[in-house]
Amino acid sequence: MHEEARGNFLYIIDMSILVKPNTRVIVQGITGSFGARHTQLSLGYGTQIVAGVTPGKGGQLFDNKAPIFDTVAEAVKETGATASAIFVPPPFAADAILEGVDAGLELVVCITEGIPVNDMVKVKRAMAGKATRLIGPNCPGVVTPGEGPDSHGGCRIGIAPGYIHKKGHIGVVSRSGTLTYEAVWQLTCRGAGQSTCVGIGGDPVAGTTHLDVIKMFTADPDTHGIILIGEIGGAAEEEAAEWIKHNCRKPVAGFIAGATAPPGRRMGHAGAIVSGGKGTAAVKIQALREAGIGVAPTPSEMAETLLKMM
Amino acid sequence: MNIHEYQAKQLLTQYGVAVPAGQSCDAPEAAKDIAQKLYQDGAKLTVVKAQIHAGGRGKGTFKNGFKGGVKLCKTADEVLENAKAMLGNVLVTKQTGPDGRLVSKLLVALAPQIQKELYLAVLLDRAASRPIIMVSTEGGVDIEEVAARTPEKIVKEWVDPAVGLMPFQARKLARALELKEGLIGQAAKLISGVYKTWWECDASLVEINPLCIITDAQGKPGISAVDAKISLDDNALYRHANIQAMRDLAEEAPLETEASEHNLNYIKLDGNIACLVNGAGLAMATMDIIRHYGGMPANFLDVGGGASTEQVTAAFKIIMKDLNVKGILVNIFGGIMDCNIIATGIVAAVKQTGLKLPLVVRLEGNNVSAGKRTLADSGLTLITGDSMADAAQKVVGAVGN
């Protein structure tokens, strides 16, 4: 990141949002089975996982590759990491996020599902005014595909399958994991690569919104088109659509899941609920259409809808 | 998770919120005893309230023809008669659907003399990532109607989680309720207590509707939470053993309870095409695409990212217990999971459960060709779909919608 801050050159030849293939990443909760498995997959993808953090296990080595530290601050100091992936269990996740913030990380990606909402309310308040960006929680993470075969050599933070990606110019932002993979795979199968794919997570209180990511894609010269995937609950998709209408000149295709969901029921994701007639798929789809976003009639046609617009 | 009104009032009382004196019971004689005690303590009127997780109880009708799940009574004998009519019977309200809910608990409480009905609720404002307190002078009616017709009559106050609800904010809200001097302090205390209940119990909603200005036995005005509804954040239940104990399995759909025991996320719907999907977003999208091609989804079912053989088998068993189901669509994007392992799991589950219904499988992802081969070589008469659209069209066709 320091290199990028100094000169624009690297920035120009290697654009994307949030993370780049050379981003140095640590994993909080690297020794748990979930964290360990996905750290191995990220290392296999060619991601620069430079350290892990597990309190009490400092001094050990993960997979003979990455040193483990007791604290994030030490890991950052020793490795120059700027981003982290969090795989700790829900009761400890708020603490892990704020430890990453305290250590001055630029990006914290929290994969953990099932964090109490009030913990996230406190985390968001504590992060006000801090430079760290939080993605998630309850999200698949971020992938900036690499140049190698099956997009090897990219930066994979989280749990998304790396090989379905392809380096290119489409940005993908979504609240759902598998629906993101579906969109990415549709793009890759049609030869359309991705600049960066961001899963912002399915919880009602999240670090980053659709709008935050849309603004980054709009500003990124390497992103030529955007797929926005939303679902019932809240009004984040409408907020993003309103901004796109006035500020984004790039083609945007969208899909909203949950048109058939019964009101008042939580559809798997903590945030996926229609309450008091608010947050319905119909209202969101209408907002997308009014903003000139191409709405995919079915989830099978997300890539096709965007590619027709480009 | 939702809890009953009497449980909500127990929690609120712990945080100093004034509620009408009362007690829950599950037998008519016990209801009479509670009422007798209330009358001895000076009550002029009592109320019997059916305890179910649904609103509209007062205007509901029991399947035995008895009208009203909330009844005012002048004597303990009247309480006894009403309790007999309600207990063990099914109450149908506009929120329960035609099946209604079995009433097995009652709340017998003092019915205070009500001067005015107000509204108070605490919930999460997702956009602000902060708690929001809403009050209205228009209580006792559906707040969504107030919001639609007279939004200016709903007053909102956001709480900074770093400091919690400040006393001035509670006073502001009390003023917004147009309360007179003597009641402002009382109301501010009650509002603070309701907020504290929301925050400390990890509730997703605390709603007091109506919040009432009452005249007490001495003829003095007071404030009381006459009805209460609390929903809780499932993710935080692990730190509230007392609230976990309030779970009422009788209020949950049996198949949904069974699914949760297998870590499956299942919600029953009214259609006839069952779906089994990995991931919540993809599961919702699968329901949508079934509907798009003219079918009706029978359920939402997320087997999680892993989709192990055990889970898939359990999922098939649950799906097949829904007698409306005429066909099944399996949609798995095995990004990291080996699709062959998933296919093996599907084959094992179908053989174990003896499934006879049309089954359409759409597999995509890691090692998918081996997975498709396993399905093809299984000897089962299943249909494979190449894409979500293809699979959805095939299952709708097979079911004959």
Side-chain angles (χ1 to χ4, degrees):
Chain A
M1 264 355 230
H2 299 295
E3 290 168 310
E4 287 149 22
R6 260 184 261 129
N8 286 329
F9 184 62
L10 261 177
Y11 226 89
I12 291 159
I13 57 162
D14 186 23
M15 280 175 290
S16 57
I17 66 164
L18 295 165
V19 292
K20 299 170 196 313
N22 62 352
T23 298
R24 297 168 75 78
V25 182
I26 61 167
V27 175
Q28 295 174 250
I30 196 167
T31 52
S33 60
F34 192 38
R37 172 153 166 68
H38 284 284
T39 303
Q40 280 159 350
L41 287 165
S42 285
L43 285 165
Y45 189 63
T47 302
Q48 302 298 308
I49 306 275
V50 294
V53 176
T54 298
K57 296 199 174 164
Q60 299 180 14
L61 209 55
F62 177 82
D63 241 22
N64 291 319
K65 289 186 188 91
I68 299 174
F69 297 91
D70 286 312
T71 67
V72 177
E74 283 171 274
V76 167
K77 186 163 171 259
E78 297 301 321
T79 65
T82 57
S84 93
I86 294 179
F87 286 94
V88 307
F92 316 110
D95 184 46
I97 294 168
L98 292 179
E99 186 180 1
V101 173
D102 177 68
L105 289 168
E106 291 171 20
L107 179 70
V108 170
V109 180
C110 185
I111 306 305
T112 309
E113 176 177 3
I115 303 175
V117 173
N118 283 356
D119 286 11
M120 286 310 303
V121 167
K122 283 194 266 189
V123 165
K124 283 271 283 196
R125 177 64 176 87
M127 285 182 73
K130 309 274 185 185
T132 307
R133 170 164 294 284
L134 171 68
I135 305 273
N138 188 14
C139 76
V142 183
V143 176
T144 291
E147 313 243 10
D150 290 340
S151 74
H152 187 274
C155 181
R156 170 189 184 269
I157 302 183
I159 58 174
Y163 70 93
I164 63 168
H165 296 82
K166 173 183 160 73
K167 190 169 174 58
H169 303 287
I170 310 295
V172 179
V173 55
S174 167
R175 269 159 77 181
S176 143
T178 38
L179 209 46
T180 313
Y181 313 158
E182 181 73 39
V184 169
W185 186 237
Q186 286 174 19
L187 286 167
T188 298
C189 288
R190 286 163 178 77
Q194 306 90 39
S195 52
T196 303
C197 302
V198 188
I200 55 176
D203 274 9
V205 175
T208 294
T209 63
H210 278 105
L211 178 56
D212 296 329
V213 181
I214 291 288
K215 283 181 178 171
M216 289 184 250
F217 281 141
T218 304
D220 172 31
D222 208 34
T223 298
H224 302 165
I226 302 166
I227 293 185
L228 180 159
I229 304 168
E231 61 191 34
I232 53 166
E237 292 85 353
E238 292 91 312
E239 180 195 46
E242 182 62 23
W243 189 88
I244 287 168
K245 191 170 161 181
H246 301 290
N247 301 286
C248 180
R249 296 285 159 268
K250 296 178 183 181
V252 183
F255 177 74
I256 304 289
T260 46
R265 299 299 309 265
R266 240 165 254 287
M267 307 304 284
H269 287 152
I273 181 166
V274 171
S275 45
K278 298 270 174 64
T280 64
V283 167
K284 288 173 190 287
I285 288 168
Q286 184 62 26
L288 261 52
R289 287 218 171 98
E290 281 169 12
I293 297 168
V295 178
T298 75
S300 247
E301 294 153 84
M302 294 185 283
E304 219 178 297
T305 304
L306 178 69
L307 296 176
K308 271 186 197 156
M309 297 170 75
M310 293 183 73
Chain B
M1 187 180 91
N2 293 322
I3 57 175
H4 289 295
E5 176 195 357
Y6 78 91
Q7 295 166 323
K9 285 179 171 172
Q10 282 168 8
L11 291 176
L12 287 162
T13 307
Q14 285 167 24
Y15 293 94
V17 176
V19 305
Q23 215 180 314
S24 68
C25 62
D26 49 18
E29 290 302 328
K32 186 181 173 182
D33 291 346
I34 298 164
Q36 256 161 357
K37 181 137 199 326
L38 289 169
Y39 288 117
Q40 278 162 18
D41 292 347
K44 290 191 178 66
L45 200 60
T46 63
V47 64
V48 183
K49 303 176 93 175
Q51 299 295 290
I52 56 169
H53 290 183
R57 293 170 296 172
K59 288 180 182 145
T61 304
F62 285 85
K63 283 196 169 170
N64 62 4
F66 187 76
K67 286 207 187 315
V70 176
K71 288 285 191 183
L72 288 170
C73 305
K74 290 199 181 81
T75 67
D77 283 328
E78 228 181 300
V79 168
L80 178 70
E81 290 315 307
N82 282 303
K84 277 181 183 166
M86 292 186 197
L87 279 170
N89 289 306
V90 174
L91 177 60
V92 180
T93 78
K94 62 175 183 178
Q95 286 186 17
T96 61
D99 289 345
R101 299 279 171 81
L102 179 69
V103 176
S104 46
K105 264 215 154 60
L106 301 174
L107 171 63
V108 180
L110 175 130
Q113 202 185 325
I114 294 169
Q115 305 302 327
K116 192 168 188 332
E117 295 188 324
L118 312 167
Y119 178 90
L120 165 65
V122 187
L123 64 160
L124 172 76
D125 179 357
R126 293 167 65 139
S129 298
R130 286 185 177 204
I132 179 170
I133 304 180
M134 301 201 292
V135 298
S136 177
T137 51
E138 309 302 297
V141 293
D142 192 350
I143 195 65
E144 273 128 30
E145 277 171 32
V146 179
R149 282 188 206 156
T150 48
E152 72 282 359
K153 289 195 169 164
I154 297 177
V155 177
K156 298 170 181 174
E157 189 76 21
W158 284 262
V159 180
D160 182 341
V163 291
L165 179 70
M166 296 305 285
F168 80 87
Q169 292 181 294
R171 291 195 299 271
K172 248 170 94 181
L173 288 163
R175 280 298 297 147
L177 287 171
E178 298 172 6
L179 296 171
K180 305 260 164 58
E181 285 166 44
L183 285 177
I184 289 182
Q186 236 190 88
K189 178 173 171 281
L190 183 139
I191 292 167
S192 298
V194 170
Y195 174 75
K196 224 171 166 190
T197 309
W198 185 88
W199 180 259
E200 291 189 10
C201 295
D202 282 299
S204 48
L205 171 74
V206 178
E207 187 179 49
I208 313 294
N209 190 23
L211 170 69
C212 293
I213 304 176
I214 58 160
T215 307
D216 68 15
Q218 287 75 44
K220 284 189 197 150
I223 292 272
S224 180
V226 169
D227 199 356
K229 179 185 172 184
I230 297 185
S231 302
L232 299 134
D233 175 5
D234 292 345
N235 289 342
L237 285 175
Y238 73 88
R239 55 189 178 200
H240 303 287
N242 62 324
I243 298 172
Q244 272 179 54
M246 293 179 172
R247 184 173 176 189
D248 184 354
L249 289 176
E251 286 287 335
E252 298 174 17
L255 287 182
E256 291 175 17
T257 309
E258 190 182 333
S260 71
E261 285 162 10
H262 295 280
N263 280 322
L264 299 168
N265 212 324
Y266 171 90
I267 295 171
K268 191 185 167 330
L269 304 171
D270 297 331
N272 58 6
I273 298 176
C275 32
L276 188 164
V277 189
N278 67 331
L282 195 62
M284 268 189 278
T286 304
M287 289 164 36
D288 296 345
I289 200 168
I290 288 171
R291 187 82 195 86
H292 181 83
Y293 288 112
M296 286 297 276
N299 63 274
F300 167 91
L301 175 55
D302 171 15
V303 296
S308 67
T309 304
E310 292 73 29
Q311 274 187 310
V312 173
T313 308
F316 269 108
K317 285 181 179 166
I318 288 163
I319 282 173
M320 287 165 64
K321 283 184 187 169
D322 176 357
L323 299 175
N324 294 329
V325 171
K326 298 283 179 280
I328 301 174
L329 171 57
V330 174
N331 182 17
I332 304 279
F333 197 105
I336 285 167
M337 268 296 285
D338 186 333
C339 281
N340 196 28
I341 293 176
I342 297 169
T344 310
I346 293 170
V347 170
V350 170
K351 287 186 173 162
Q352 207 187 319
T353 52
L355 179 77
K356 296 279 184 295
L357 301 168
L359 170 66
V360 179
V361 180
R362 184 267 179 149
L363 269 185
E364 193 56 83
N366 187 13
N367 202 18
V368 69
S369 44
K372 285 184 175 169
R373 215 174 309 125
T374 299
L375 292 178
D377 296 347
S378 66
L380 298 172
T381 52
L382 50 79
I383 307 161
T384 52
D386 292 329
S387 66
M388 277 179 85
D390 182 43
Q393 280 166 295
K394 281 175 173 166
V395 75
V396 171
V399 167
N401 286 56

